[in-house]
Amino acid sequence: MHKLSNMLNRRPSLWVWVALGIAAFALMPAVAFAAEKKGMSSEGIFVAELILLLVVGRGIGEVLEALGQPAVMGQLIGGIMLGPSLLGWVWPEAERLIFADDPSQKSMINAIAQLGVLMLLLLTGMETDLRLVRRVGRACFSISAAGVAVPFGLGFAAAHFMPDTLLATGGERIVAGLFLGTALSISSVKIVAMVVRDMNFMRRNLGQIIVSSAIIEDTIGWVIIAVTIGIATKGRVEIGSLAFTVLGVAAFMVFSFTLGRRIVFDAIRWTNDTFRSEYAVVTVILAIMGAMALITDLIGVHTVLGAFVAGILVGESPILSRHIEGQLRGIITALFMPVFFGVAGLSADLTVLTDPLLALLTVALVVIASIGKFGGAFIGAELAGMTRAEGIAVGCGMNARGSTEVIVASIGLSMGVLSHNLFTMIVTMAVITTLAMPPTLRWALRRLPIGEQEKKRLEREEMDQRGFVANLERLLVVVDEGVVGRFAAYLAGVIGAGKPTTVLHSSGEIDAEPTEGLHLDEIEKGAEDSREAAKKSDEAPVRETPVTRRQHGELSAEAVAREARKGYGMLLVGLGRAVTAKGAFSHRLNEVAGAFDGPLCLVLKPASAGRQMPQLGPGSGKILVPVNGTAVARRGAELALAIAAVTGAPVKMLYVARTGREEPRDTVSHRRREAVLKDIVALADRYGVEIETAIRSRAAAADAIARQAGRNAALIVMGVSRRQGEELIFGETTTGVLRRGPCPVVLISDERVKRDENDREAVRTGAGTG
């Protein structure tokens, strides 16, 4: 109690939820009185039920989350409190009036709950990262296989020793055993991932093994449930119908992960690129979920399998942005999740546990579930060659049933396979094992040290989270038929490997012989080089790059703006004759770039450079990168390193600070330069690129860059800040480099126009932002 009081004092917002919960219970007499006097319509009672489930569930969830427990359990406990377990026990008249037994009244709230099941499975599938499973390797398959087999066997056997009173009327003991075994064998991916993430173990090797094992168990579990439901609909085991169900499920899975994957990807992309109405992609995702749920229903299994597989395919879609995913997650988490778990809690009657026999059987069920799950996962870890401490942590982590268990039990109850008493026992077991998992897993994970190799990988991934190239979601490319367009297309393939890329191809003015059609080949060549580089460096494999090509004659700003509205992370432009002899930009480049409100990457060939673009490689000239400590200069360095990691070209980082004199090593500015270069070296280590560094402080920035570029530089990559105005303006330094630069230049800008004081000071003294 003292801990709860301190927690409320530290987080004042919790008082709001506690007050709302108290207010919700305080409104019960008024609601009950209005319902009893027939002053409230059935629609009014339905709204009152929604409000109570949402507010009470959310309030208890907030308190539990502050205590380090899963918030979803608060929604389930809220439903239990509003049902016969508490409200029906303390004030049965109010519980019967508000949560009436009238079939038409119950059907209204149950309809939301049933839709909530599909939505929850859609979200669960979207959170299922199959790439993580492939990356972790065989350990998670060993753990998941043993972690499913042992508790499933124990649950199936336990069903054959249960009293007949726990079976549903007319129910088959074998079918009940299949449901109970599945309920005991599945772990809740959401709960497991929440605790692992809370412990900062999500990117640790063991954390990924635990989450991946839960993902595999979840997938296996839903396939078993689909087959079990197919059996349950027949009321008995029939070899013919069982074979049809198994073959139907197998055919559905094969279709989904082959042709179905492409259909889902294309449908989401086409909707995003074609529709202009709000939330069109969300609508199509829900339609895909519904269609796949209907397919599984037609082959004789439950709709949940279709919704789950649809979620996996939607989550893997390369066009799915964080914004769209957040919109869908918001409505599911805010409405459907609290209602479903609240209704599940209403169906549980914990008062039956006052019967000593049922209480003893419930304790036995919790023990069987915990021992089976822990023992199975531990055995799997031993078979995978993991240490004893790691096996204990895996066993603790897999013991959370949570939301998945409740969904399985609810389906069994609605189909008449499980009795209300057995349903209550399963829900109780789910609550106990879920609340026990976080503290036991935290205890187990604290005992595991981190290795040197794993530490380096974590540092590399943390750097990726702050990076620009690694988080680029979609790329828009504008190129012409000349050598600049061809080189830009190659860089687009390197930078955007595995990411959806749209190419706007313009004829227009060119600066060399036409190379029509070759820009798509160059993109694929760059993407293939990226895939090969990823294999050599043991990085995650780069998937195929989806490329869309749109042909234009004289490309207009309107065409670029129209395409840009579809959502892109960066515009990459490669146009011939885009730079004048004075270092200014052509009218065509100004129009194209001005139509895109976001980061720009401009591939340019100054008038003083040669006619050909560079061939980057280990024996080529260097990639020269001016830096000065600003965020946009760091972005330029990151882009250059990403190119060098694929091409093997050498890189030189040049810190340019215009001070006019040499400074002692103990000055603030000198220490700042060393810190900047140290950060760049760490960034280079992440990309596996060796770099040279140099400092120039006694010359104008443009002069220093041009002079250094004349010493065997094949390409200059600069991070620049975009200034206000109708035309592209990046500052005097950039103009000077474009006027005197002896080699091609790549400029990468941020989307900001206004800069903070640190960047403004750096621009005054340095070169990285022009």
Side-chain angles (χ1 to χ4, degrees), residues 156 172 174-175 178 230-232 234-242:
F156 185 80
E172 281 274 338
I174 291 180
V175 178
L178 291 173
I231 296 172
K234 302 293 183 182
R236 60 189 181 279
V237 178
E238 295 180 355
I239 300 300
S241 63
L242 177 60

Side-chain angles (χ1 to χ4, degrees), residues 247-547:
L247 290 175
V249 170
F252 171 74
M253 298 295 283
V254 171
F255 170 80
S256 297
F257 289 102
T258 53
L259 183 60
R261 186 196 301 268
R262 174 56 57 190
I263 293 173
V264 170
F265 289 4
D266 289 345
I268 292 176
R269 171 190 275 186
W270 181 80
T271 303
N272 182 77
D273 292 354
T274 306
F275 284 68
R276 291 289 173 264
S277 54
E278 291 185 320
Y279 309 119
V281 174
V282 174
T283 301
V284 169
I285 289 173
L286 295 178
I288 291 170
M289 177 199 73
M292 297 187 73
L294 283 176
I295 292 173
T296 53
D297 184 67
L298 290 174
I299 63 177
V301 298
H302 202 278
T303 52
V304 293
L305 179 64
F308 177 69
V309 175
I312 293 177
L313 299 183
V314 169
E316 289 189 335
S317 173
I319 204 67
L320 186 69
S321 66
R322 296 184 184 92
H323 178 62
I324 295 172
E325 185 179 355
Q327 292 171 343
L328 193 58
R329 186 185 303 275
I331 186 64
I332 296 174
T333 305
L335 175 61
F336 291 103
M337 188 181 292
V339 171
F340 168 74
F341 287 112
V343 171
L346 292 173
S347 303
D349 185 3
L350 299 188
T351 59
V352 301
L353 299 183
T354 55
D355 183 338
L357 178 60
L358 285 178
L360 186 61
L361 289 173
T362 303
V363 172
L365 185 64
V366 173
V367 172
I368 291 172
S370 300
I371 292 178
K373 197 65 183 176
F374 181 90
F378 185 81
I379 291 171
E382 288 283 319
L383 293 175
M386 301 173 68
T387 66
R388 187 69 53 85
E390 290 174 334
I392 292 174
V394 170
C396 292
M398 305 309 292
N399 199 32
R401 299 331 195 275
S403 56
T404 309
E405 183 104 349
V406 177
I407 294 173
V408 173
S410 297
I411 294 172
L413 180 65
S414 66
M415 295 187 64
V417 175
L418 304 179
S419 66
H420 273 86
N421 286 349
L422 184 54
F423 173 81
T424 299
M425 292 167 58
I426 293 175
V427 169
T428 303
M429 182 264 291
V431 172
I432 293 174
T433 57
T434 302
L435 296 181
M437 189 275 271
T440 56
L441 180 58
R442 290 188 180 99
W443 168 80
L445 292 180
R446 288 193 190 102
R447 302 169 61 238
L448 295 172
I450 183 171
E452 187 62 31
Q453 185 176 1
E454 186 178 9
K455 183 179 179 181
K456 289 182 179 179
R457 180 181 63 80
L458 292 176
E459 291 173 350
R460 183 174 68 245
E461 291 179 358
E462 183 179 357
M463 196 165 290
D464 282 347
Q465 288 183 336
R466 297 189 292 120
F468 171 72
V469 175
N471 292 298
L472 192 63
E473 291 184 341
R474 196 180 185 194
L475 187 62
L476 178 60
V477 180
V478 175
V479 292
D480 61 14
E481 300 169 0
V483 292
V484 176
R486 186 173 179 177
F487 182 69
Y490 174 77
L491 293 184
V494 171
I495 299 167
K499 303 173 177 66
T501 300
T502 299
V503 181
L504 301 183
H505 179 229
S506 170
S507 54
E509 292 186 15
I510 59 175
D511 52 5
E513 68 279 1
T515 56
E516 184 174 1
L518 289 180
H519 55 282
L520 292 183
D521 296 336
E522 291 297 325
I523 288 179
E524 178 53 38
K525 182 177 183 298
E528 179 61 31
D529 288 349
S530 291
R531 286 191 286 270
E532 290 299 320
K535 290 178 183 178
K536 293 178 182 178
S537 61
D538 294 328
E539 296 279 349
V542 177
R543 58 189 176 189
E544 182 182 350
T545 303
V547 180

Side-chain angles (χ1 to χ4, degrees), residues 17 40 89 117 188 332 349 392 520 529 585 631 691 698 759 768:
W17 285 107
M40 183 177 291
W89 177 52
V117 174
S188 174
I332 296 174
D349 185 3
I392 292 174
L520 292 183
D529 288 349
F585 301 111
I691 63 172
R698 305 187 70 180
D759 279 5

Side-chain angles (χ1 to χ4, degrees), residues 577-765:
R577 300 181 182 177
V579 182
T580 69
K582 295 183 178 180
F585 301 111
S586 67
H587 177 70
R588 184 165 63 132
L589 179 58
N590 275 303
E591 279 195 335
V592 169
F596 188 81
D597 185 18
L600 298 173
C601 182
L602 307 179
V603 181
L604 307 167
K605 187 166 71 65
S608 55
R611 292 182 59 83
Q612 298 299 319
M613 299 300 284
Q615 295 292 326
L616 300 176
S620 70
K622 298 175 182 177
I623 300 177
L624 179 65
V625 189
V627 295
N628 64 356
T630 61
V632 71
R634 190 180 190 275
R635 180 176 291 185
E638 183 188 353
L639 180 69
L641 292 169
I643 296 171
V646 174
T647 62
V651 178
K652 183 161 190 173
M653 299 288 173
L654 179 68
Y655 189 105
V656 182
R658 187 176 178 182
T659 62
R661 57 185 175 82
E662 293 291 344
E663 294 182 341
R665 296 182 60 85
D666 59 347
T667 60
V668 174
S669 58
H670 188 89
R671 289 196 296 268
R672 180 176 182 272
R673 291 176 216 153
E674 289 187 334
V676 169
L677 291 177
K678 183 178 180 181
D679 176 65
I680 297 297
V681 170
L683 188 63
D685 287 341
R686 180 265 167 270
Y687 280 95
V689 176
E690 293 186 4
I691 63 172
E692 295 181 44
T693 61
I695 298 176
R696 297 290 180 268
S697 58
R698 305 187 70 180
D703 292 338
I705 296 169
R707 190 178 301 117
Q708 188 68 48
R711 302 170 184 169
N712 194 30
L715 183 69
I716 300 173
V717 179
M718 294 177 61
V720 293
S721 283
R722 197 170 175 176
R723 310 291 179 85
Q724 289 180 330
E726 295 182 0
E727 296 186 351
L728 287 177
I729 302 175
F730 298 118
E732 293 180 2
T733 299
T734 303
T735 302
V737 171
L738 292 175
R739 187 168 58 247
R740 297 190 295 276
C743 61
V745 177
V746 174
L747 303 179
I748 179 168
S749 80
D750 58 2
E751 64 274 25
R752 299 171 301 167
V753 175
K754 296 181 179 179
R755 298 178 304 281
D756 57 33
E757 288 300 321
N758 289 335
D759 279 5
R760 189 173 288 110
E761 175 64 16
V763 170
R764 185 181 66 80
T765 60

